[in-house]
Amino acid sequence: MRRNYAIVAGMNRDAAASFINGDLQLAKSVIARDDESNRLYFLLVRILRTIIQAPSLSEKLGITSIECLDYRLAASLIEAIGDACVQMAAKTIELNGIKPSGELQKLLAGLPGNLF
């Protein structure tokens, strides 16, 4: 989950930067990274399902079924953010490098989290 979070955090930063700067290559890079994010998400889901189905494994790892559900929810939210990044990158490509106005760029750069 940490690895997927790191990938998606980078996708988020780069999707926003590509939109603000009209950077088509960066937008394409965001879209390409989504495949890795999806693979990690589905791997985590399979692992969590295995833990839930095997009580001895659950005990050995010290993870309860409820915690597995929490991990699944968190992983799902991370994956959804990755999908939103792909949508933003696709919009950047659709705009073919057209940048937002300077004023809008400043507003976007001033959003909480200062991702840009």
Side-chain angles (χ1 to χ4, degrees):
M1 188 172 340
R2 286 185 194 134
R3 173 76 177 134
N4 202 14
Y5 173 79
I7 290 169
V8 171
M11 289 170 63
N12 189 43
R13 181 186 60 248
D14 292 347
S18 70
F19 179 74
I20 288 174
N21 300 315
D23 187 334
L24 301 178
Q25 287 305 111
L26 191 55
K28 290 176 184 175
S29 169
V30 169
I31 293 169
R33 283 181 271 169
D34 188 52
D35 288 340
E36 178 71 12
S37 173
N38 289 340
R39 278 193 290 275
L40 288 171
Y41 170 69
F42 289 116
L43 174 61
L44 180 63
V45 169
R46 286 193 304 272
I47 290 170
L48 292 172
R49 288 176 59 86
T50 301
I51 292 170
I52 289 171
Q53 292 173 346
S56 63
L57 183 58
S58 177
E59 285 179 30
K60 184 176 180 180
L61 296 173
I63 299 174
T64 67
S65 296
I66 296 298
E67 288 172 326
C68 286
L69 293 173
D70 292 343
Y71 282 122
R72 171 80 187 263
L73 177 61
S76 176
L77 293 171
I78 292 168
E79 204 275 331
I81 292 168
D83 290 344
C85 293
V86 168
Q87 289 177 340
M88 186 185 303
K91 184 55 76 174
T92 300
I93 292 169
E94 184 181 317
L95 292 171
N96 200 26
I98 296 173
K99 298 178 187 179
S101 68
E103 184 177 325
L104 182 56
Q105 287 179 356
K106 287 179 186 176
L107 288 171
L108 291 170
L111 288 174
N114 197 11
L115 298 174
F116 324 106

